[in-house]
Amino acid sequence: MLTIKQITENTEAVIRGLEKKHFKNAKETIDQVIALNDKRRTTQNQLDKNLAEVNSLSRTIGQLMKEGKKEEAESARTRVAELKEGNKELDAVMTQAATEMQNVLYTIPNVPYDSVPEGVGAEDNVVEKMGGMETELPKDALPHWELAKKYDLIDFDLGVKITGAGFPVYKGKGAQLQRALINFFLDEARKSGYTEIMPPTVVNAASGYGTGQLPDKEGQMYHCEVDDLYLIPTAEVPVTNIYRDVILEEKQLPIMNCAYTQCFRREAGSYGKDVRGLNRLHEFSKVELVRIDKPEHSKQSHQEMLDHVEGLLQKLELPYRILRLCGGDMSFTAALCFDFEVYSEAQKRWLEVSSVSNFDTYQANRLKCRYRNADKKTELCHTLNGSALALPRIVAALLENNQTPEGIRIPKALVPYCGFDMID
C-alpha cells in the first residue's frame, strides 16, 4: 500500500507511475485519497482543539467553584458537555474518513520503478538475457502430457475423477521427480544462505491483505467461507506475514527465507491449448524465496535472487530467457519484476517458471513491517520474493526437452535426488 507521504509529496510522479501500470482513473483515485486525508486531518485538528479546550475548562471549574463563581462554573460545565457531544460526531467523521481512505488505498497498485518499460502486455516485455542449452528433439517428439501417459508418470484423468480439472495425480517416477525437484531447490536455497520455513497453507484475511492478494486477487483464491480462511496461492503470503506488525533490528537484515508449499489458484477464465497438461494448474508445488531488507540494499538483494534462479535453470540444463516486465504486465504489488521462462521444444513455446519481484515499501506498509536503524528511528523495510522454482512447467520442459528414443534423460544435477538417470 502506498503511504500518504508518498502520495502527497510526489503526487504527479505517483499518478504517472500508476498510469504506466494502466491503472484506470489514477488521477481521480489519488485526488479522492488526498481529499479523504484532508478531511481526516481537518477533523483531527478540530478534535484536538476541542479536547484541549475541554481539559482547560475542566481545570478551571474547580477553581471557579472555590471562588464562589457558580454561574461561571456552570457555564463552563455546559460548554464542556457541548464539546464532548460534538467530539463524538467529530470522532465518527474522522474514523469514517480514515476507513474510506484505507479502503481506497487498498485498491491502488504499487508504483513501478523508472526502469520498468512502458507497455500494455506480455508482448511489450523486454528480453534481458537468454541462456541454457539448445535442444534437438527427434521428429516424432511428444508434448509432456503424452509423455506422461506413455511412461505412466502423471494421470490427469484420475485427478479429474478425484477432484476436478487442474489437479493431476503424480505416479511412480513422476512422483519421484516432483520430490527430487523440491529437495534440489530447497538444498540449493540453503546453500545460498536461506533459512527453510514450513508454513501453513491456509491463511486468514489479514495475511491476504498484508501481502496484497486481497482485495486484488480475491476471485483467484480458494476461500474456506465457514472459517474465513484462504488457501495460499504462493508461500510468499504466509512467509512474508511472519513479519507483520514486527519491528526488526538493522543487524537482522537482510532476512532470507525459503519455503516449499503446495499452492492453490482458481485460474478463473483460463481455457484453450495453453492450459493443457501441466501448463496451468489449480494445485501445484513451488519453492519460494522471500527477503526482508533495508531500502539501500534491496537492489543488490534483487540481483542476488535473479542470479540464484538463473543458476538453477543452468543446473537443470534448460534453455531459458529473462524478461524485464513492462508496466502493463506487472503484478499489482510489484515495483520491478523479472520473469524467467524456459523453452518447451515440443510445444514450441516459452513457459513462465518464475517471477522475481521487488515490492519496495508497498507490502511493508500494509504489513507494518519496519526496522530500527542506527539512529534508533523506525523505517519501513523493503520486501522481495521469487519462485525458485515452480514445478509444473519445469517438469513439462524437462520431460519434453530430454526425450530420446531410449527414454527421458534426467539432468546430471537431479540424478542423486531421483535415484535414476533415465525414465523408461
Side-chain angles (χ1 to χ4, degrees):
M1 186 169 62
L2 299 178
T3 65
I4 292 300
K5 185 177 180 181
Q6 286 172 324
I7 290 172
T8 54
E9 290 186 355
N10 304 285
T11 304
E12 294 304 317
V14 168
I15 291 171
R16 286 197 302 273
L18 294 177
E19 289 174 343
K20 194 176 190 179
K21 268 199 173 179
H22 300 274
F23 178 65
K24 293 181 180 178
N25 304 317
K27 186 177 186 309
E28 293 84 348
T29 305
I30 293 301
D31 286 346
Q32 184 183 5
V33 169
I34 291 172
L36 287 166
N37 187 49
D38 288 344
K39 184 177 181 180
R40 180 192 62 81
R41 290 180 62 186
T42 300
T43 309
Q44 177 71 69
N45 289 338
Q46 186 59 54
L47 188 58
D48 290 343
K49 288 178 182 178
N50 288 3
L51 289 171
E53 187 177 350
V54 166
N55 292 335
S56 177
L57 287 170
S58 297
R59 286 193 297 269
T60 62
I61 288 172
Q63 186 62 36
L64 290 170
M65 291 296 290
K66 286 180 183 179
E67 295 173 2
K69 300 176 180 178
K70 292 183 180 180
E71 200 171 302
E72 291 180 37
E74 286 302 321
S75 177
R77 282 197 182 98
T78 301
R79 175 61 178 161
V80 167
E82 290 173 352
L83 287 169
K84 286 184 175 180
E85 192 61 33
N87 285 352
K88 291 179 184 178
E89 296 179 10
L90 288 172
D91 190 62
V93 170
M94 185 182 69
T95 300
Q96 183 179 357
T99 300
E100 289 179 9
M101 182 180 71
Q102 182 91 340
N103 289 338
V104 175
L105 285 170
Y106 276 138
T107 69
I108 300 173
N110 199 358
V111 175
Y113 287 157
D114 291 340
S115 58
V116 171
E118 298 282 352
V120 177
E123 65 279 0
D124 299 314
N125 295 333
V126 176
V127 178
E128 292 278 311
K129 184 178 181 180
M130 298 185 70
M133 302 173 64
E134 292 186 10
T135 307
E136 289 187 16
L137 297 183
K139 292 181 180 180
D140 58 349
L142 301 174
H144 69 271
W145 52 87
E146 293 186 24
L147 290 168
K149 187 173 183 179
K150 177 180 178 180
Y151 293 102
D152 197 24
L153 304 174
I154 308 169
D155 195 322
F156 295 100
D157 294 332
L158 187 55
V160 172
K161 173 187 173 181
I162 296 170
T163 308
F167 296 89
V169 175
Y170 299 87
K171 303 166 62 179
K173 286 187 175 180
Q176 288 177 258
L177 178 59
Q178 283 276 117
R179 182 158 47 83
L181 282 165
I182 292 164
N183 288 333
F184 171 66
F185 293 151
L186 287 173
D187 281 356
E188 290 295 309
R190 178 179 51 78
K191 291 174 187 176
S192 294
Y194 289 88
T195 299
E196 184 176 350
I197 304 291
M198 188 172 285
T201 51
V202 292
V203 294
N204 54 32
S207 294
Y209 276 96
T211 45
Q213 277 69 31
L214 298 177
D216 179 57
K217 293 289 187 294
E218 188 166 11
Q220 295 294 332
M221 296 173 72
Y222 286 98
H223 186 201
C224 309
E225 294 183 3
V226 173
D227 300 298
D228 194 23
L229 297 173
Y230 293 84
L231 275 66
I232 63 168
T234 165
E236 165 200 346
V237 182
V239 176
T240 311
N241 269 278
I242 291 171
Y243 307 97
R244 174 158 43 95
D245 299 320
V246 170
I247 298 177
L248 300 160
E249 295 300 326
E250 186 173 4
K251 64 183 179 182
Q252 293 177 264
L253 303 175
I255 287 172
M256 301 166 58
N257 290 331
C258 67
Y260 151 68
T261 64
Q262 291 296 98
C263 303
F264 303 86
R265 300 182 186 181
R266 293 185 62 242
E267 298 289 5
S270 298
Y271 60 92
K273 64 182 178 64
D274 290 345
V275 304
R276 289 198 67 180
L278 297 171
N279 287 344
R280 195 175 295 275
L281 300 177
H282 296 306
E283 179 183 359
F284 59 95
S285 302
K286 180 157 70 81
V287 173
E288 189 79 358
L289 306 180
V290 172
R291 287 202 187 198
I292 312 293
D293 209 344
K294 297 185 293 185
E296 62 267 28
H297 191 256
S298 72
K299 183 178 180 181
Q300 180 178 332
S301 272
H302 199 185
Q303 186 58 55
E304 289 172 1
M305 294 172 78
L306 294 170
D307 293 342
H308 179 85
V309 175
E310 184 175 10
L312 295 178
L313 294 175
Q314 289 171 344
K315 289 177 181 178
L316 292 176
E317 304 169 28
L318 289 171
Y320 66 89
R321 67 180 184 181
I322 307 172
L323 304 177
R324 183 187 294 261
L325 298 196
C326 69
D329 201 34
M330 281 174 61
S331 74
F332 184 85
T333 49
L336 177 64
C337 181
F338 293 87
D339 272 6
F340 285 79
E341 296 180 335
V342 295
Y343 191 69
S344 162
E345 189 65 45
Q347 297 181 68
K348 301 297 183 185
R349 58 188 290 255
W350 290 96
L351 307 173
E352 180 195 332
V353 294
S354 174
S355 290
V356 183
S357 303
N358 189 334
F359 304 103
D360 201 88
T361 60
Y362 187 86
Q363 286 183 333
N365 186 40
R366 297 169 77 118
L367 294 159
K368 295 183 174 58
C369 173
R370 294 160 289 170
Y371 75 100
R372 191 175 283 107
N373 65 22
D375 298 325
K376 303 302 179 184
K377 294 181 179 178
T378 57
E379 297 183 38
L380 288 171
C381 297
H382 278 199
T383 63
L384 307 92
N385 70 48
S387 306
L389 289 159
L391 268 68
R393 294 168 189 164
I394 288 289
V395 171
L398 286 174
L399 296 180
E400 294 178 358
N401 292 8
N402 292 302
Q403 58 184 301
T404 71
E406 293 75 32
I408 300 170
R409 183 184 66 85
I410 299 297
K412 184 178 179 181
L414 280 183
V415 172
Y417 292 89
C418 289
F420 52 84
D421 59 7
M422 184 75 73
I423 296 173
D424 52 22

